[in-house]
Amino acid sequence: MRRRDLFALGTLAVAGAAASSAAASGPTGSEPTPNASLNIAGVGLPIIAEGRIRNYVFVTVRLTLGTGQTPETLRAKEPYFRDALVRQAHRTPFVLAGDWTRVDSAAISDWLMRAAPSIAGPGSISAAEVALQTPRRRTGVRQG
């Protein structure tokens, strides 16, 4: 046998052993499967204070899908969620008092849960949360 065939055979044996151990430790039929989720990443929300835009915070929002929903069906609705969130943030900013580097994640989650039935249909979203916040500017902004 050639050396390259030996290496390929050894790699296949290791991969087969790993696959069989992963299948053996896989989920059992009695465990409930968690609902799927859809991430909406990179939404830039303004921080408006005293009538001026002071900063932008880029957020990633995780939407937990309702029963019977798949990420593929709601992925087509992602631009509508993104547009509605940005419009609402300009109308009524999700600002924390005295902090221009973060947004009020509880207010965003509450608003998304109120807006989700009109965007994607009733029962399509069971939970919403802000998974990540990244401010555009971290220095030179007023704290407290």
Side-chain angles (χ1 to χ4, degrees):
M1 281 184 110
R2 291 184 292 203
R3 187 182 314 185
R4 115 179 100 184
D5 294 337
L6 263 171
F7 286 134
L9 185 62
T11 305
L12 286 175
V14 170
S20 65
S21 67
S25 67
T28 61
S30 63
E31 294 178 11
T33 58
N35 288 350
S37 64
L38 175 70
N39 287 342
I40 301 175
V43 181
L45 302 179
I47 301 295
I48 301 173
E50 301 162 1
R52 295 180 58 197
I53 295 180
R54 303 295 183 166
N55 199 5
Y56 281 93
V57 176
F58 296 92
V59 297
T60 298
V61 178
R62 180 178 298 122
L63 301 175
T64 304
L65 308 182
T67 54
Q69 300 293 325
T70 62
E72 292 79 25
T73 58
L74 285 178
R75 193 152 299 149
K77 301 289 183 180
E78 181 181 345
Y80 298 105
F81 278 107
R82 184 183 300 272
D83 181 58
L85 184 58
V86 170
R87 285 177 188 262
Q88 182 64 27
H90 278 276
R91 215 175 287 132
T92 308
F94 301 111
V95 179
L96 290 173
D99 191 0
W100 294 350
T101 59
R102 295 184 304 144
V103 293
D104 188 0
S105 43
I108 291 174
S109 299
D110 292 342
W111 182 83
L112 277 170
M113 289 308 296
R114 287 192 307 268
S118 64
I119 296 172
S124 60
I125 304 296
S126 63
E129 67 175 331
V130 176
L132 180 67
Q133 297 185 31
T134 307
R136 180 176 163 233
R137 290 183 12 201
R138 291 181 176 90
T139 61
V141 292
R142 182 179 61 174
Q143 297 286 329

